Amino acid sequence: MNTSDSRRDFLKKSALLGTGLSLAASTSLQAFAEVAKSKNKLPAWKGFNLLHFFSDHPDRGRPTKPEYVKWIADWGFDFARIPISYPSYLDIDRSRPIRPDEVMNFDESRLEKVDELVERCISQGLHVSLNLHRAPGFCINAGFVEPYNLWKDQEALDAFCAHWEMWAGRYKGISKKNLSFDLVNEPYQRLDPNDQHSPGGPVDMLDYHRVAEAALNTIKSVKKSRLVIADGNGGGGTAMPELADLELAQSCRGYHPFPISHYKAGWVYKDPESVPPVDWPLTQGERILDIEEIRRYYAPWIALIDQGIGVHCGECGCYNETPHDVFLSWFGDVLTVLKENGIGFGIWEFSGTFGVLNSSRKDVEYEDWYGEKLDRKFLELLRAQI
């Protein structure tokens, strides 16, 4: 890769951040200091996912305006997870499925776009969690064809590790207080990987362990102190004591119960309009799901914390079809349980159907915020946790 002036400038700034000489580093140091007050080895970072590189096509993502990052910091949040689709930073023909010989075609100009967002977040005092949402050989989403299977094929694993080696080397100068790596989003196996509605379940834990260990060792060989996180199995929700022998933190989800968080979501239900109404507490047959159900749901994750494994909730929130009062009532209980256990969170998106901005809910009186539509009640619910 050619080294441009902008790349050199970024690395110089990265090295400065890594020494703790900036305001951003001081903010992150404070977050790590808070860990001493909790059993949880991870800071309770609180913030949002930024979906700028979420699309396979680099020009079709959900742009993160510079002011978004500033607002996140100004409102008191300290976390940004950046889920990335790996084709977004490659030089490839996007008119057809990617081939095995193309998965390493790194495009320096596209990588520098990621650098810019990482730098912007860190400069505002946000801890950045860099995540491969679509990785070589796997993505929980359907609608495209991968050339191999990350969980079964050595060629895919080699490519996966090579991508993480690239990121580890690129950001070697950034402290773990400012940057962590989230290996792969929501491991899951479908009977038909090209059908979003195809049934599936958790990845075999022997396969997950092998993949996670190989990537972890690759990253640690570049920077031993780098903080690395593994998403829960079965789509992110299943805690993994089987990975306890690895130097990995783990990332849970805040979407339980799913009928509330993903009410009428088209990528979940084939016939969204047939989905019955929801309320909170939620009645399911003879069961009533309330905050105690949420506590039971997180019990395996709390058990990991008790074992000395750091836990963070990398994704959470609610689709915009759930009635707003139901959403806020339910999510308030989710946040309460997370806070009880020192677990931070990342709302799935900042602006969009899950976000505090521009969520297009039909039952919200939005506040105009510099031309954006702000869900003030949702924002204040989140800020109460800070």
Side-chain angles (χ1 to χ4, degrees), residues 256-257 280-282 287-300 302 329-330 332-338 340-341:
H256 180 76
W280 186 254
L282 179 66
R287 296 179 63 202
I288 296 180
L289 309 186
D290 56 13
I291 193 171
E292 293 306 319
E293 168 64 20
I294 295 173
R295 290 191 175 102
R296 285 189 290 271
Y297 173 78
Y298 284 108
I302 297 164
S329 179
W330 159 73
D333 283 349
V334 172
L335 294 174
T336 293
V337 175
L338 292 176
E340 287 172 352
N341 295 283

Side-chain angles (χ1 to χ4, degrees), residues 121-133:
C121 290
I122 293 176
S123 70
Q124 289 290 337
L126 308 183
H127 176 91
V128 172
S129 175
L130 196 71
N131 164 251
L132 286 185
H133 190 278

